[in-house]
């Protein structure tokens, strides 16, 4: 890998996600100050049968947890007191026996809870907190359903879908879903402004629409599109509390992993639909953009053209105003990297490269007349290049019979090492170039990890990239079927 880009990636990681210690320090210090003589936070939790020890309170930010404070557990009693409110969100109290109790905290943080070891959820009672009373109504319902569902799953194991027991199981699962929905509707009716109500409503998925084709069959594609388009409708993006629960992280993961086909153009389309809403909440924008960059990071993602998503997010949405967590230098480096990779995106026309070959003659990609061109970029010291170059050399006669010509480019090496490599791996049968300045390829063919293989069609459009040698024929097969 190019060492400059590697250092840049390290800078990028550190500027986006601070070290865990800094993250914990940041959140531990985040509290909503209140004045007055009484304790703003006064939570009493009694757990029958609990041994003495230390309980630890943790908070939630998206898909991360952070330490908040610790409290003594004495004679089964834990007393949480302080003069400033905890930030609104979902918390968990880890008890001395390593079990835990969830707490949903908002404006009113004076209440009590009572339960017993070995039966924490079912025995739990809440006094003085609507949010936590309703939270545990929800948790108890889900826990009861999960136990019943597990028994039913075991009973139908190995049975066909047509079996009456399987049919009954599917109906029960749907009844469970309706029961949870009805419970939330009840929360909305009796406590419409409660945090738990808004939290639960925001987590609901849209109902699948009964859209049918002209022949009466379900139109699955139209149903999926409608579901995606309504997926975020229940979210109030301006509500800062949601980021301090797992809600937004879970929805982002499901949306971009399960609901959207993994094609760069589709992903970019739905990013552009969501980003204006995300920008209404700086915490969510930061989380979403960083999640996307790590999921589609070039060299790490399984998406063929992760660069298309990565560069789009940075070039369109990363500015000094939207990314205050980044230093100007780090932001400029990241934008420069994104700009460089945007010159060689899938289904875009390839830019020409003009450089000297081993005989000192000027060669160019556009000077090749074959229907297809494999552009191969490598480093002479790269172990993967040393393994894959001989494979390409063996494949060359077969690929040439399909109308393929090679244009190989050495990067970050010396003239002597380049020529030695060409001779050693039998590359003299095709065009080999080297530009010690790398100017001829900068912004034209992006190299993150070597080797890099691009495939160009007769129109010199990039139809394949980030490939292994054995994948070249697959790309040609797909192109010839068009």
């Amino acid at each position: 890998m190019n060492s400059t880009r590697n250092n840049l990636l390290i800078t990028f990681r550190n500027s986006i996600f601070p070290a865990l210690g800094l993250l914990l320090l940041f959140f531990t210090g985040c509290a909503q100050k209140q004045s007055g003589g009484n304790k703003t936070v006064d939570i009493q939790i009694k757990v029958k049968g609990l041994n003495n020890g230390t309980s630890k309170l943790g908070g939630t930010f998206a898909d991360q947890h952070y330490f908040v404070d610790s409290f003594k557990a004495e004679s089964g009693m834990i007393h949480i007191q302080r003069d400033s409110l905890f930030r609104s969100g979902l918390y968990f109290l880890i008890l001395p026996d390593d079990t835990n109790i969830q707490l949903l905290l908002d404006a009113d943080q004076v209440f009590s809870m009572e339960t017993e070891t070995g039966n924490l959820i079912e025995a739990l009672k809440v006094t003085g907190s609507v949010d936590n009373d309703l939270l545990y109504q929800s948790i108890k319902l889900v826990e009861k359903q999960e136990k019943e569902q597990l028994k039913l799953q075991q009973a139908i194991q190995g049975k066909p879908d047509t079996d009456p027991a399987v049919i009954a199981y599917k109906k029960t699962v749907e009844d469970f879903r309706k029961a949870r929905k009805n419970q939330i509707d009840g929360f909305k009716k009796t406590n419409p402004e409660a945090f738990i109500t808004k939290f639960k409503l925001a987590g609901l998925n849209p109902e699948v629409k009964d859209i049918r084709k002209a022949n009466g069959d379900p139109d699955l594609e139209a149903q999926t599109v409608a579901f995606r388009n309504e997926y975020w409708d229940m979210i109030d993006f301006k509500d800062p509390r949601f980021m301090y629960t797992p809600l937004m992280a879970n929805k982002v993961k499901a949306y971009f992993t399960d609901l959207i086909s993994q094609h760069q153009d589709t992903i970019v389309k739905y990013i552009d639909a969501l980003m204006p809403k995300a920008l209404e909440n700086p915490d969510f924008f930061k989380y979403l953009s960083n999640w996307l960059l790590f999921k589609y990071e070039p060299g790490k993602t399984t998406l063929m053209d992760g660069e298309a998503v990565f560069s789009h997010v940075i070039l369109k949405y990363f500015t000094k105003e939207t990314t205050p967590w980044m230093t100007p230098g780090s932001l400029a480096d990241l934008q420069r990297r994104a700009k460089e990779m945007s010159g060689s995106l899938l289904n875009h026309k390839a830019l020409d490269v003009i450089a000297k070959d081993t005989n000192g003659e000027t060669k160019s990609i556009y000077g090749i007349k074959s229907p297809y061109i494999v552009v191969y970029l490598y480093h002479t010291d790269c172990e993967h290049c040393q393994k894959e170059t001989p494979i390409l050399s063996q494949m060359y006669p077969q690929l040439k019979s399909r109308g393929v010509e090679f244009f190989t480019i050495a990067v970050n090496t010396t003239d002597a090492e380049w020529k030695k490599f060409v001779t050693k791996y039998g590359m003299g049968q095709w065009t080999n170039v080297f530009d010690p300045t790398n100017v001829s390829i900068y912004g034209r063919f992006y190299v993150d990890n070597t080797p890099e293989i691009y495939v160009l069609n007769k129109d010199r459009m990039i139809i394949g990239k980030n490939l292994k040698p054995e994948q070249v024929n697959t790309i040609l097969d797909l192109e010839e079927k068009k």
Side-chain angles (χ1 to χ4, degrees), residues 15 28 86 179 284 288 310 322 367 415 449:
S15 64
T28 302
F86 293 111
F284 181 54
L288 174 63
F310 191 94
T322 61
D415 189 80
N449 294 299

Side-chain angles (χ1 to χ4, degrees), residues 94-344:
I94 302 175
L95 304 178
D97 61 1
D98 289 332
T99 58
N100 71 85
I101 294 173
Q102 294 186 57
L103 304 171
L104 193 65
L105 302 182
D106 197 27
D108 185 359
Q109 298 181 16
V110 178
F111 60 91
S112 64
M113 306 174 77
E114 184 175 341
T115 187
E116 60 189 37
T117 58
N119 194 25
L120 281 178
I121 303 302
E122 190 173 341
L124 195 140
K125 297 178 182 178
V126 179
T127 302
S129 172
V130 170
D131 279 322
N132 285 284
D133 183 28
L134 299 183
L135 171 66
Y136 276 92
Q137 287 184 36
S138 175
I139 291 174
K140 289 175 182 179
L141 176 62
V142 171
E143 187 177 74
K144 179 182 177 183
Q145 289 181 345
E146 286 179 345
K147 289 179 180 178
E148 293 181 20
Q149 189 169 337
L150 180 59
K151 290 180 182 178
L152 293 172
Q153 284 175 336
Q154 293 171 345
I156 65 169
Q157 207 165 27
K159 294 182 178 180
D161 289 346
T162 55
D163 189 283
V166 176
I167 295 172
Y169 167 76
K170 291 180 178 179
K171 183 180 183 305
T172 299
V173 171
E174 178 59 20
D175 289 343
F176 285 171
R177 187 193 67 80
K178 289 179 180 178
R180 293 194 295 270
K181 174 66 166 55
N182 289 339
Q183 185 184 62
I184 296 172
D185 288 341
F187 293 173
K188 184 179 179 181
K189 184 176 180 180
T190 57
N191 295 278
E193 297 305 315
F195 181 23
I196 181 65
T197 302
K198 295 181 183 296
F199 173 47
K200 286 293 182 179
L201 286 172
L204 288 176
N205 285 330
E207 295 288 340
V208 177
K209 287 186 165 25
D210 185 15
I211 304 174
R212 296 186 176 270
K213 300 177 181 178
N215 64 1
D217 292 340
D219 191 334
L220 299 181
E221 183 177 352
Q223 289 175 353
T224 302
V225 170
F227 188 92
R228 279 198 298 251
N229 290 342
E230 296 177 4
Y231 185 77
W232 297 98
D233 285 357
M234 296 299 293
I235 296 289
D236 179 0
F237 288 90
K238 294 181 180 179
D239 191 331
R241 298 174 296 183
F242 291 152
M243 281 306 300
Y244 295 87
T245 74
L247 171 67
M248 302 303 277
N250 290 341
K251 289 188 77 74
V252 165
K253 183 178 179 180
Y255 190 62
F256 285 101
T257 302
D258 302 328
L259 298 181
I260 294 175
S261 62
Q262 294 304 290
H263 184 280
Q264 67 279 353
D265 293 342
T266 303
I267 296 166
V268 165
K269 172 185 174 181
Y270 284 98
I271 287 173
D272 286 344
L274 182 57
M275 275 299 189
K277 300 173 184 177
L279 286 165
E280 297 177 4
N281 183 332
D283 280 342
F284 181 54
F285 169 74
K286 181 178 182 180
Y287 173 78
L288 174 63
S289 58
N290 295 337
W291 187 91
L292 289 167
L293 294 185
F294 278 101
K295 179 172 177 61
Y296 299 108
E297 180 184 332
K300 301 290 181 65
T301 180
T302 57
L303 188 70
M304 182 183 290
D305 198 11
E307 290 92 342
V309 179
F310 191 94
S311 62
H312 181 80
V313 171
I314 294 168
L315 295 177
K316 186 166 184 177
Y317 298 105
F318 272 43
T319 67
K320 64 179 181 180
E321 291 78 21
T322 61
T323 59
W325 65 87
M326 298 191 73
T327 65
S330 295
L331 177 59
D333 286 342
L334 200 57
Q335 289 173 329
R336 185 161 47 250
R337 181 184 178 212
K339 181 65 177 175
E340 181 182 352
M341 67 178 66
S342 68
S344 52

Side-chain angles (χ1 to χ4, degrees), residues 358-412:
T358 53
N359 297 317
E361 297 180 6
T362 300
K363 300 291 184 180
S364 74
I365 291 175
Y366 277 27
I368 296 175
K369 303 306 178 185
S370 300
Y372 299 104
I373 301 175
V374 167
V375 179
Y376 179 61
L377 301 102
Y378 65 94
H379 187 290
T380 55
D381 292 335
C382 161
E383 291 184 6
H384 291 292
C385 301
Q386 293 165 6
K387 290 178 181 178
E388 293 188 14
T389 304
I391 297 173
L392 277 176
S393 185
Q394 291 173 1
M395 292 176 62
Y396 178 69
Q398 180 266 331
L399 289 172
K400 188 174 180 64
S401 70
R402 296 193 67 173
V404 178
E405 191 51 74
F406 284 14
F407 189 93
T408 62
I409 307 169
V411 295
N412 297 334

